Amino acid sequence: MKSKLLYIGTIGCQMNVYDTNQIAGVLAPMGYIGTEAIESADMVIVNTCTIREKAEQKAFSFLGRLAKIKSTNPSLIVAVGGCVAQQEGEAILKRMSHVDLVFGTHAIFRLPELVRRIESSRCRIVDVRLSDTIEFDGPVYGPLTDGQVSAFVTIMRGCDNYCTYCIVPHVRGREASRHPDRIVEEVRMRVDQGIREMTLLGQNVNSYGSKEGLCSFAELLARVDRIDGLDRIRFTTSHPKDLSDDLILAFGHLEKLCHHIHLPVQSGDDGILKRMNRKYTRGGYLEKIARLRAVCPDISITSDFIVGFPGETDDQFQATLDLIETVRYDGLFAFIYSDRPHVPAAAFPEKIPEPVKKERLQTLLALQRGITRKKHQAMVGQVRSILVEGPSRTMPSDETGMASPRIRWTGRTSSNHIIHFAVPDVFLKKKELLTGSFVDIMIEGVYAHSLWGRLIHGPICATPGKGETTIAA
Ligand code: 5AD
Ligand code: SF4
């Protein structure tokens, strides 16, 4: 079979990263192999996101740029997938004559057939059919990158919660869970390929299996925890209203479950939460945080916030700041509210002016920066175990004034803190031993979003029969 080059651009969340990998997986048997060079590709797929206005704009500007590439290579197949494709459907074909295929969020497994039709007759196709059940449960996935130690597995798709600001239920369809046997099978296969850390993905993992009468999410975690060769489990995203006692207790007894939870709260004000249709109160949320910390005292907690939701008063925003100070998050993502098509909040009056939204965002981020810095500083002097992911891809700006060592490596703690460290040159010959291993790091400095430390113990210079050697501090 003649091999063809496939470039996939991904915009958006971890779910899209997983979907992109799956797209590569379903197209591989047709001879498509991945390329990073867009100009030499035979097919370009843009996997899009529409959760916020900015993401959608990014998708359209990327697509716009492809027109030029196609004009120099008319045989190029241009395909648009993901949430913008689902939302806009045929309108994309009408608006962009260089696009050949628009496929929605449930059409990934139909891609080989769709692409075959385009290859043979150069027709233009839209497939945005949504289904209430999972028609094809896999496992199907694409290749891992060299030295990749962590990966995602989707355990469910869609969402039934209809938060009033959110487009996800409209573009990803009804909530549907994969069978636990398929999930366990997929994780096992990934572990055999070298994966040490697996993140279970879903819009609302806490309600996993409830609709289909499968096992609970806590039971699924327990099954994944028993997989030999897997070292760490993470999951995202949790809805506070569905965070069960069983799941909270899992943090106390599941050996591989990382001590981190992302628990988006969105707002600290009960009135706003009600109008967002979040179905929990500030008090109920704080109670769950307290229970999590009682079961797992070192758990790190992160969250999502929306600022400038329609009608949000200064006092209501203040309640959000107050919640952040009360919880003292380890990190957070904050977003300026943007209207999305079809969602109820788009029709809510009392829209907040852009400058006010921007100011609130800056205030919130500044508050969290201070909290993160203090929390990071409190970690200085501690020894933490990290799973090494590889050489640093990004060099954090040296705010601390520390001299930048030549070779930096990066890993994560169980609490999801990123730590960079240097490896003495003499050990570089053995560097292949480092990626995917657990090493102990003495934390010595802080950056805005990560930490700096010194390697004090790890499998760098393996000695026969021992497997690891302590590097002199
Ligand atoms: N405007 C701003 N932020 C949004 N989010 C979802 N919809 C919107 C919107 N319309 C944010 C929420 C969610 C995160 C993934 O994106 O905080 O948790
Ligand atoms: Fe959107 Fe709410 Fe569903 Fe999350 S839980 S995907 S915010 S509707």
Side-chain angles (χ1 to χ4, degrees):
M1 191 194 319
K2 187 175 162 276
S3 68
K4 296 162 273 188
L5 296 177
L6 170 64
Y7 177 98
I8 313 182
T10 309
I11 300 166
C13 60
Q14 292 164 329
M15 197 76 77
N16 270 17
V17 174
Y18 180 83
D19 287 352
T20 288
N21 187 262
Q22 217 167 34
I23 290 168
V26 297
L27 292 176
M30 295 178 71
Y32 280 98
I33 51 173
T35 179
E36 305 259 299
I38 196 163
E39 293 79 14
S40 49
D42 297 288
M43 173 154 66
V44 174
I45 297 180
V46 190
N47 192 9
T48 61
C49 171
T50 183
I51 186 105
R52 292 172 296 275
E53 204 175 356
K54 252 196 188 152
E56 187 181 333
Q57 284 162 357
K58 222 172 169 181
F60 278 112
S61 85
F62 191 102
L63 279 170
R65 288 200 301 277
L66 288 179
K68 199 151 166 237
I69 297 176
K70 181 133 176 181
S71 69
T72 59
N73 175 16
S75 63
L76 175 73
I77 296 175
V78 175
V80 188
C83 295
V84 176
Q86 189 67 48
Q87 175 192 304
E88 297 295 317
E90 192 144 7
I92 298 178
L93 284 196
K94 289 202 177 119
R95 185 169 153 189
M96 301 185 140
S97 59
H98 61 288
V99 173
D100 302 285
L101 170 64
V102 177
F103 64 99
T105 52
H106 291 189
I108 292 176
F109 295 105
R110 296 191 288 274
L111 264 182
E113 174 56 24
L114 299 170
V115 170
R116 216 167 280 127
R117 277 167 55 201
I118 293 172
E119 282 177 340
S120 63
S121 65
R122 291 310 302 201
C123 53
R124 301 175 80 210
I125 306 176
V126 178
D127 180 345
V128 286
R129 183 161 61 80
L130 289 179
S131 112
D132 285 352
T133 53
I134 292 177
E135 289 164 345
F136 182 73
D137 205 359
V140 171
Y141 45 74
L144 299 174
T145 55
D146 236 10
Q148 187 175 336
V149 295
S150 61
F152 302 125
V153 58
T154 290
I155 63 164
M156 62 197 302
R157 69 171 192 205
C159 181
D160 288 349
N161 286 315
Y162 290 98
C163 300
T164 54
Y165 52 81
C166 187
I167 196 166
V168 167
H170 306 272
V171 289
R172 290 219 174 237
R174 300 286 56 73
E175 199 169 292
S177 296
R178 293 182 67 189
H179 195 281
D181 292 352
R182 298 289 82 68
I183 297 167
V184 168
E185 196 182 333
E186 185 167 328
V187 176
R188 277 215 183 95
M189 288 164 138
R190 284 310 212 183
V191 168
D192 288 346
Q193 295 172 342
I195 287 300
R196 313 286 302 270
E197 176 181 289
M198 192 53 95
T199 301
L200 278 48
L201 290 180
Q203 302 296 344
N204 179 15
V205 293
N206 303 149
S207 64
Y208 170 82
S210 54
K211 213 170 177 179
E212 292 85 354
L214 300 166
C215 65
S216 71
F217 181 56
E219 285 162 344
L220 176 69
L221 280 177
R223 281 191 64 177
V224 176
D225 197 67
R226 289 195 291 272
I227 295 176
D228 282 341
L230 182 69
D231 293 306
R232 280 181 170 181
I233 307 168
R234 301 184 186 279
F235 62 84
T236 195
T237 284
S238 297
H239 195 306
K241 81 175 163 58
D242 296 314
L243 182 65
S244 67
D245 278 343
D246 277 358
L247 183 53
I248 293 174
L249 291 173
F251 281 101
H253 64 81
L254 288 186
E255 195 197 329
K256 297 173 184 172
L257 185 58
C258 287
H259 290 187
H260 169 229
I261 187 164
H262 185 63
L263 201 57
V265 65
Q266 314 296 358
S267 166
D269 178 80
D270 281 342
I272 295 284
L273 288 174
K274 197 163 175 49
R275 289 200 302 121
M276 285 178 163
N277 192 31
R278 291 291 289 177
K279 301 194 183 90
Y280 53 83
T281 60
R282 175 195 175 103
Y285 179 84
L286 286 172
E287 240 169 61
K288 290 194 176 176
I289 299 276
R291 261 187 279 157
L292 280 164
R293 284 180 168 153
V295 168
C296 184
D298 67 344
I299 195 164
S300 87
I301 299 174
T302 55
S303 195
D304 288 348
F305 288 85
I306 296 178
V307 299
F309 187 76
E312 183 186 65
T313 63
D314 282 341
D315 284 352
Q316 287 173 319
F317 175 60
Q318 199 51 52
T320 294
L321 298 180
D322 184 73
L323 179 84
I324 291 170
E325 274 184 297
T326 305
V327 175
R328 299 192 80 245
Y329 289 101
D330 293 274
L332 56 79
F333 298 98
F335 308 101
I336 284 182
Y337 168 81
S338 59
D339 279 342
R340 307 310 299 126
H342 318 298
V343 308
F348 289 180
E350 300 174 66
K351 291 278 154 48
I352 307 298
E354 280 308 307
V356 177
K357 289 200 265 189
K358 282 191 180 141
E359 199 189 317
R360 285 182 185 170
L361 180 70
Q362 291 315 320
T363 308
L364 189 157
L365 292 177
L367 173 65
Q368 181 58 38
R369 262 198 305 276
I371 294 170
T372 304
R373 180 164 283 270
K374 281 203 189 108
K375 286 196 150 197
H376 280 177
Q377 273 160 354
M379 290 170 75
V380 172
Q382 293 177 4
V383 173
R384 291 288 182 99
S385 169
I386 61 169
L387 173 60
V388 180
E389 291 174 3
S392 289
R393 269 169 293 172
T394 52
M395 295 289 204
S397 63
D398 223 331
E399 297 167 26
T400 53
M402 286 182 290
S404 287
R406 266 188 309 129
I407 310 292
R408 289 187 199 226
W409 291 72
T410 298
R412 266 168 221 266
T413 61
S414 163
S415 57
N416 212 30
H417 287 94
I418 296 169
I419 305 188
H420 306 280
F421 62 100
V423 181
D425 279 357
V426 292
F427 296 119
L428 283 179
K429 281 194 285 307
K430 302 275 186 184
K431 69 175 189 291
E432 66 281 0
L433 289 172
L434 206 49
T435 298
S437 65
F438 284 89
V439 298
D440 289 337
I441 302 285
M442 162 81 77
I443 298 171
E444 292 184 330
V446 301
Y447 298 116
H449 301 287
S450 57
L451 296 141
W452 170 256
R454 185 157 41 104
L455 178 66
I456 58 168
H457 186 245
I460 307 296
C461 46
T463 49
K466 198 173 168 212
E468 56 178 42
T469 297
T470 299
I471 292 174

